[in-house]
Amino acid sequence: MTLALHHDEGEARIRIALDDVDLVTYEYRPDTLPLEAPKPYLHPLRTRAGRVVSLLRPHDHVWHKGIAWALPNVGEENFWGGPTYLRDEGYVQLPNNGRTDHREFRRLESDESGARIAHALTWTAQDGRTVLEEERELRVVLVDDAWVLVVATSMTNVAGAPLSFGSPTTKGRENAGYGGLFWRGPRSFTDGTIRSPEGDGGEEMRGSRHEWMGYTGRHDEIDAASTIVMVDAVENPRHPPQWFARSEQ
């Protein structure tokens, strides 16, 4: 089986398909409101059976978009979207929602070994300052009756001063260490099962450290469930990561 890569330049969209199923669509230059910290994202994601396992712009968190690489605290800038958490004040909407813009492609290809997208991006603060430059590669490969998305990124500080990376937890909110590679599942997945190498559970697993973490949720309309597994590369700093996982809405 060979994956097919379809590039619609007019819509700034790339689809990676297996036979008649679009496994994933990459919106690399989305028309997104500044409040939502515009950034490339992957949605919809589908299993090989065609079941959708991602959600776009949930009404309570419109900045959540399928799978995205998003950071809530880069210095004083918010590349996550929405309000920023401030110590002793809570979430406050500030004029600091940055954007991540596609600059140019390095590679677009598909063959018997998989499909690859590599491109350069620029991270810009809301006031127009360039903060980071990024090289990103996405790779899709088939594995048994599933498929794997590999995400690799290299980021360079071009702000002209040191940058700190953080989360609401580093600003004082307990157990809210979210940021980085982010997946938002369908609403029907609410109250699903969080999985780890040490066993299954629910909300109590938020903040635990594991080499991987998974989630099983049920689909509406059909009698079926799907499982998503996220695996951290062993060479990453501070591996294994501390996961921010939720089964609630």
Side-chain angles (χ1 to χ4, degrees):
M1 295 182 177
T2 300
L3 293 165
L5 187 150
H6 306 281
H7 184 195
D8 184 342
E9 295 187 54
E11 297 293 332
R13 176 181 300 141
I14 298 170
R15 294 181 296 109
I16 298 176
L18 177 64
D19 299 328
D20 60 347
V21 176
D22 289 341
L23 297 179
V24 63
T25 298
Y26 189 43
E27 302 281 354
Y28 62 86
R29 191 182 287 129
D31 182 15
T32 304
L33 296 173
L35 171 72
E36 300 171 27
K39 64 186 75 64
Y41 62 84
L42 298 131
H43 174 83
L45 290 95
R46 295 183 174 90
T47 67
R48 290 176 62 163
R51 297 162 186 156
V52 176
V53 291
S54 61
L55 181 64
L56 180 70
R57 298 189 78 245
H59 64 80
D60 51 346
H61 293 82
V62 293
W63 46 90
H64 289 185
K65 294 177 169 65
I67 287 181
W69 178 245
L71 299 170
N73 296 83
V74 179
E76 299 304 315
E77 311 307 320
N78 178 344
F79 290 94
W80 178 268
T84 298
Y85 190 86
L86 301 180
R87 192 179 300 274
D88 301 323
E89 294 186 49
Y91 283 102
V92 179
Q93 187 58 55
L94 301 175
N96 69 340
N97 292 129
R99 60 183 303 117
T100 306
D101 293 312
H102 162 78
R103 194 165 72 246
E104 62 179 321
F105 284 109
R106 305 298 196 206
R107 179 183 296 180
L108 285 175
E109 63 184 24
S110 60
D111 54 30
E112 65 279 356
S113 64
R116 294 175 180 80
I117 303 168
H119 64 142
L121 306 100
T122 300
W123 294 51
T124 306
Q126 188 166 325
D127 63 10
R129 293 176 296 108
T130 301
V131 177
L132 295 161
E133 291 184 351
E134 180 190 0
E135 294 287 335
R136 181 182 303 180
E137 180 171 317
L138 309 175
R139 187 161 56 96
V140 173
V141 295
L142 303 177
V143 182
D144 298 324
D145 60 351
W147 62 276
V148 175
L149 170 68
V150 181
V151 180
T153 181
S154 174
M155 306 178 74
T156 302
N157 178 2
V158 294
L163 283 174
S164 61
F165 291 76
S167 70
T169 290
T170 63
K171 296 294 185 179
R173 184 187 175 197
E174 186 178 351
N175 205 11
Y178 57 79
L181 189 65
F182 172 79
W183 166 68
R184 177 66 188 243
R187 285 195 181 274
S188 67
F189 278 27
T190 302
D191 297 326
T193 302
I194 299 174
R195 305 187 184 280
S196 79
E198 295 182 5
D200 300 340
E203 294 291 309
E204 75 282 357
M205 298 177 70
R206 186 189 316 164
S208 58
R209 289 186 178 273
H210 304 287
E211 294 186 0
W212 61 265
M213 187 162 274
Y215 192 96
T216 299
R218 299 199 64 82
H219 296 277
D220 288 332
E221 300 185 9
I222 56 177
D223 184 18
S226 294
T227 298
I228 300 289
V229 178
M230 300 184 75
V231 183
D232 188 56
V234 295
E235 63 269 21
N236 281 343
R238 300 186 181 179
H239 174 86
Q242 190 171 14
W243 297 91
F244 184 85
R246 298 190 66 177
S247 58
E248 302 171 344
Q249 287 192 17

